[in-house]
């Protein structure tokens, strides 16, 4: 039974890296994504693999049993090594000299002696030799396949492909974030691109009622400190989104995207403090930003002038 446990331990050590790699690839998520047909096939394959493992265990047990029977029937076989010892010596540990024997003493290298500590010139174990040879062969095949023949992507090409995929994912995340802008998440965007887009939207859709310079007309003056419905970015966004139907302002949520409404709201706040040609008299109440609200711009005149 000790030999059986040793064999199972070797099988476990050889399959552990594969299991670890599957764990890193989030196999549980992939398993949940499978349909019933794929799950059925996976169960069948698992059952077949389990039967194969059981047959291997049974084969090892039978070989051990047969070897024990043969030793009892033929006493001359008692001094011969078992098949497991032969296998281990040939493929695992190699031939190990007796400790303190003549063969071991002959291998002592006096030139490597230090404070009475000597080195034995033992050869590399067979399993380690196989691993070394396998890595060399793999390296040669890998180099020829990717660098010489050009089959498959190189490391640089894989890196560039990952960058491309991540750029697409970043665009998707940005689009989802932009689509989720509302009166609760809107922020003042003082970037030149956003203000330029807001200026274009304002001149196209809002100038007819508020004048192109924001001085007011049918609608109120947008450049002073007085606001009818509040002067924060959230207040302006909300009025643009839902409108004020009783006063003739239509809701723009069906014609402008959330990002566009944020851009034009930012542009309207950027016009605060400018000097329109014909300013309309103040309407509403004077709006004073709270200490938690960040002032949109320090010099609104220069901001508007920079995008004109």
């Amino acid at each position: 039974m000790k030999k059986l446990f040793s064999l199972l331990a070797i099988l476990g050590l050889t399959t552990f890296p594969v299991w670890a790699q599957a764990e890193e690839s989030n196999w549980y998520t992939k398993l949940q994504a499978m349909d019933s047909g794929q799950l059925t096939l996976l169960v069948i394959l698992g059952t077949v693999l389990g039967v194969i493992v059981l047959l291997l265990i049974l084969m090892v047990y039978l070989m051990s049993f047969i070897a024990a029977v043969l030793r009892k029937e033929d006493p001359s076989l008692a001094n011969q090594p078992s098949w497991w010892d032969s296998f281990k010596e040939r493929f695992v540990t190699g031939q190990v000299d007796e400790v303190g024997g003549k063969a071991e003493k002959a291998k002592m290298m006096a030139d490597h002696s230090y404070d009475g500590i000597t080195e034995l010139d033992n050869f590399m174990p067979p399993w380690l030799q196989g691993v070394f040879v396998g890595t060399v062969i793999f390296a040669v095949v890998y180099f020829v396949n990717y660098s010489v023949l050009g089959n498959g992507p190189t490391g640089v090409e894989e890196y560039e492909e990952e960058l491309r995929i991540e750029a697409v994912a970043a665009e998707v995340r940005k689009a989802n974030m932009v689509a989720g802008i509302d009166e609760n998440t809107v922020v003042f965007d003082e970037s030149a691109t956003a203000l330029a887009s807001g200026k274009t939207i304002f001149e196209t859709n809002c100038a007819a009622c508020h004048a192109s310079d924001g001085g007011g007309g049918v609608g109120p003056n947008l450049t002073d400190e007085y606001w009818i419905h509040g002067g924060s970015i959230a207040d302006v966004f909300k009025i643009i989104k839902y409108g004020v139907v009783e006063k003739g302002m239509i809701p723009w949520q069906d014609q402008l995207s959330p990002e566009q409404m944020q851009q034009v709201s930012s542009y309207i706040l950027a016009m605060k403090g400018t000097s329109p040609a014909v300013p309309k008299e103040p309407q509403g109440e004077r709006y004073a930003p709270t200490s938690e609200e960040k002032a949109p711009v320090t010099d609104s005149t220069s901001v508007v002038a920079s995008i004109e």
Side-chain angles (χ1 to χ4, degrees):
M1 291 302 293
K2 292 182 178 179
K3 299 175 182 177
L4 178 60
F5 289 143
S6 300
L7 181 60
L8 292 177
I10 293 175
L11 291 175
L13 290 175
T14 55
T15 56
F16 178 77
V18 178
W19 177 84
Q21 183 178 5
E23 183 71 16
E24 293 176 358
S25 62
N26 200 0
W27 59 270
Y28 183 71
T29 303
K30 295 181 180 179
L31 186 64
Q32 288 181 324
M34 292 183 178
D35 55 25
S36 59
Q38 292 175 327
L39 289 175
T40 302
L41 180 61
L42 186 62
V43 171
I44 294 174
L45 291 177
T47 304
V48 173
L49 181 61
V51 171
I52 293 175
V53 172
L54 290 176
L55 289 176
L56 289 176
I57 296 174
L58 180 60
M59 185 181 300
V60 171
Y61 176 77
L62 289 177
M63 292 179 65
S64 301
F65 178 77
I66 293 174
V69 172
L70 291 177
R71 285 194 182 91
K72 289 183 179 180
E73 293 182 353
D74 189 355
S76 62
L77 298 177
N79 296 326
Q80 295 184 1
S82 64
W83 70 270
W84 172 250
D85 294 331
S86 301
F87 173 84
K88 185 169 61 174
E89 179 179 340
R90 183 175 180 181
F91 298 104
V92 182
T93 62
Q95 185 177 2
V96 181
D97 297 325
E98 181 182 357
V99 178
K102 294 182 180 180
E104 184 185 44
K105 292 181 179 179
K107 289 182 178 180
M108 288 186 179
M109 303 174 64
D111 55 335
H112 285 184
S113 178
Y114 185 80
D115 285 347
I117 301 174
T118 58
E119 178 184 350
L120 294 180
D121 187 18
N122 288 322
F123 61 91
M124 186 182 298
W127 69 269
L128 189 54
Q129 294 181 15
V131 171
F132 176 74
V133 173
T135 55
V136 172
I137 295 175
F138 177 82
V140 172
V141 173
Y142 185 92
F143 177 78
V144 172
N145 183 66
Y146 289 97
S147 299
V148 178
L149 301 179
N151 297 328
T154 62
V156 175
E157 292 172 343
E158 289 182 352
Y159 175 71
E160 292 176 348
E161 177 64 15
E162 290 178 358
L163 288 180
R164 186 191 66 80
I165 295 175
E166 177 56 29
V168 174
E171 291 295 330
V172 173
R173 289 195 298 270
K174 181 180 178 181
N176 293 335
M177 185 180 300
V178 168
I181 297 175
D182 59 16
E183 56 271 22
N184 298 316
T185 59
V186 62
V187 294
F188 177 81
D189 190 349
E190 58 184 343
S191 64
T193 303
L195 293 178
S197 299
K199 180 177 183 294
T200 302
I201 297 171
F202 182 86
E203 292 178 347
T204 302
N205 302 288
C206 309
C209 296
H210 296 279
S212 59
D213 55 6
V218 177
N221 183 356
L222 301 177
T223 64
D224 56 26
E225 297 180 350
Y226 292 85
W227 297 84
I228 301 175
H229 303 284
S232 68
I233 184 67
D235 294 330
V236 176
F237 183 93
K238 185 176 181 180
I239 293 301
I240 294 174
K241 181 178 181 180
Y242 299 109
V244 185
V245 180
E246 61 273 13
K247 293 190 177 182
M249 181 172 178
I250 65 172
W252 292 94
Q253 60 181 339
D254 295 330
Q255 303 182 45
L256 299 177
S257 67
E259 183 182 20
Q260 290 176 320
M261 288 188 289
Q262 176 175 269
Q263 291 170 346
V264 71
S265 300
S266 300
Y267 176 75
I268 289 173
L269 291 183
M271 291 193 296
K272 181 180 178 181
T274 58
S275 302
V278 185
K280 190 175 180 179
E281 291 297 325
Q283 294 176 272
E285 298 179 358
R286 185 174 183 176
Y287 177 78
T290 62
S291 58
E292 298 179 355
E293 293 179 354
K294 181 180 178 181
V297 289
T298 56
D299 188 355
S300 57
T301 305
S302 63
V303 172
V304 176
S306 66
I307 59 177
E308 289 180 348

